[in-house]
Amino acid sequence: MKRGSIILLSILAISLLGCGKSSSPVIDVITSNTELGDVQYWTIYDNNKAEKAEEFQPVNIKVLNVPDNDFSSEINGNKISVIVNEYEIEDEYGSSYEADGNLRRIIDDVAENADHDIYGVKILNVDGNIFVFEKHNVNWQLPCVLYQYFPDTRELSKLYQWDGVELVGLGNIRIAD
């Protein structure tokens, strides 16, 4: 009985702590709560975890907004399929922005990857590194997910998820070469 308890505790510890892989910071993020408006600073790690950070100055980023009316959803069986209706994009100042082939691929990949109705998308370019901030419409919640986008593989890698925030800025990016 004692040996079984030790094995069970060992398995539990490995599952909680991981198999020795330490996490690394990927990016610093500034968010604002949509209801309260309070600003928070975060460090996001490659293991989908985050911790609050000290205040920092945001880096210069290019932000493109994809409105929620660019997307529609339909239910196929038990799964939601998100469809791109149009490719209307605005820059951070509200001016129309031409969606070239690369941006259309990103928007298509966002729709294909989504498992909920899309409430809005921001595409962020920081020195050639692309991030996608996506809001979902889920009943009484507003999940907001930050992804890193890899154009070569067309992969959206989830970094972190909040509820009811607006992405205000990005800070240090620590992406391995």
Side-chain angles (χ1 to χ4, degrees):
M1 184 69 165
K2 192 174 190 180
R3 184 174 180 205
S5 297
I6 292 172
I7 292 173
L8 183 60
L9 285 173
S10 299
I11 292 171
L12 181 61
I14 288 171
S15 66
L16 291 176
L17 300 175
C19 296
K21 179 184 183 282
S22 63
S23 60
S24 299
V26 175
I27 190 167
D28 292 328
V29 177
I30 305 170
T31 62
S32 174
N33 184 295
T34 54
E35 288 184 19
L36 305 174
D38 63 326
V39 174
Q40 295 187 328
Y41 297 83
W42 303 90
T43 297
I44 309 299
Y45 292 87
D46 60 1
N47 63 352
N48 304 111
K49 304 273 188 222
E51 66 182 11
K52 292 198 176 176
E54 295 293 321
E55 185 175 334
F56 58 85
Q57 288 297 313
V59 296
N60 188 18
I61 59 176
K62 181 176 185 178
V63 179
L64 299 174
N65 294 302
V66 184
D68 61 340
N69 62 349
D70 277 12
F71 304 97
S72 62
S73 303
E74 59 185 39
I75 297 176
N76 296 321
N78 291 336
K79 185 171 173 12
I80 285 186
S81 295
V82 176
I83 299 140
V84 179
N85 298 321
E86 51 194 329
Y87 297 91
E88 292 186 8
I89 300 175
E90 296 178 345
D91 65 16
E92 57 196 305
Y93 306 107
S95 300
S96 292
Y97 192 89
E98 182 69 32
D100 63 10
N102 291 329
L103 285 172
R104 286 176 181 252
R105 272 191 297 283
I106 294 170
I107 293 167
D108 288 340
D109 293 340
V110 165
E112 186 175 313
N113 186 63
D115 52 3
H116 295 288
D117 291 330
I118 293 177
Y119 183 68
V121 171
K122 286 185 179 185
I123 300 171
L124 309 124
N125 188 330
V126 187
D127 298 327
N129 296 296
I130 300 170
F131 297 90
V132 174
F133 183 73
E134 183 177 330
K135 293 181 182 182
H136 298 271
N137 184 7
V138 182
N139 296 330
W140 297 98
Q141 299 176 343
L142 184 59
C144 306
V145 184
L146 179 65
Y147 297 95
Q148 184 176 358
Y149 181 75
F150 298 96
D152 294 342
T153 60
R154 298 180 70 173
E155 175 191 0
L156 284 160
S157 177
K158 182 178 177 180
L159 293 174
Y160 193 69
Q161 178 175 321
W162 296 266
D163 186 40
V165 301
E166 187 62 50
L167 188 133
V168 176
L170 298 177
N172 292 325
I173 298 173
R174 303 172 192 91
I175 298 172
D177 294 327

